[in-house]
Amino acid sequence: MNKLNNLLEQSKKLENKYYNSYLYYSKLNNLLIIPSIFLTSIASIFSFLSTSTMIDKRDQNFYLLIVAIITATSSLMQTLSGSCKYSVKKDQFNQAANDFNSLVDKISFEILEENEQDFINSVEDEIKRIKENCKYLP
C-alpha cells in the first residue's frame, strides 16, 4: 500500500511537471503565432489600400512599403515558430500530462481496491512509455 501511495505521488509530480512544460511552450508559441496572425491581417488591409483608387499614388507607395515590412516581420515570426517547434513541444507535453493524469486515476483506483497482479511493474512500464513518447525533456 505504501508503494502505491509513493507511486501516486511520483505520478502526480510528473503530471504537474509535464503540464507546466505544456503551459510554458504554449505561451512561447502564442508569443510568436498571435502577433504573426495580427500582422498578416494588418498587411492585408494595407495591401488593399495600396491598390485603392481613393488613395493618391504617393500614399499608395507608402502603403506598399508598409506591407513589405509587415509581411517580412510576420514571415520571420512564422519561421522562428516553425524552427523552434514550440507547437510540437506544447502538444507533446500536453499529451504526456494527460497520460499521467490517466495514470494517476488508475493508481488511485488501485489504492481503493487492489485487484491487479503485478500492478506496480505495469505502472512503471506505463511511465517509461509516456516519457519515451514525449521526445523532449520538461
Side-chain angles (χ1 to χ4, degrees), residues 64-120:
L64 284 173
L65 180 63
I66 296 295
V67 167
I69 292 169
I70 292 174
T71 303
T73 304
S74 177
S75 295
L76 175 67
M77 294 175 86
Q78 290 173 5
T79 302
L80 280 173
S81 176
S83 65
C84 293
K85 299 182 181 179
Y86 291 146
S87 66
V88 172
K89 292 175 183 178
K90 170 189 74 129
D91 292 341
Q92 285 196 356
F93 285 124
N94 186 38
Q95 183 61 50
N98 288 334
D99 290 345
F100 276 115
N101 182 269
S102 297
L103 191 61
V104 165
D105 291 343
K106 184 177 179 180
I107 296 168
S108 297
F109 288 130
E110 185 66 18
I111 288 173
L112 291 175
E113 184 177 332
E114 293 184 34
N115 58 3
E116 286 188 42
Q117 291 182 344
D118 204 30
F119 180 77
I120 291 177

Side-chain angles (χ1 to χ4, degrees), residues 23-75:
L23 291 176
Y24 175 76
Y25 284 107
S26 182
K27 287 176 187 175
L28 287 178
N29 187 53
N30 288 340
L31 281 175
L32 290 175
I33 294 298
I34 291 174
S36 177
I37 292 169
F38 179 74
L39 288 174
T40 303
S41 299
I42 296 296
S44 297
I45 293 168
F46 280 114
S47 176
F48 173 76
L49 289 174
S50 71
T51 61
S52 174
T53 56
M54 297 169 67
I55 308 291
D56 74 26
K57 203 68 166 160
R58 185 170 168 245
D59 289 340
Q60 285 179 343
N61 289 335
F62 175 73
Y63 286 131
L64 284 173
L65 180 63
I66 296 295
V67 167
I69 292 169
I70 292 174
T71 303
T73 304
S74 177
S75 295

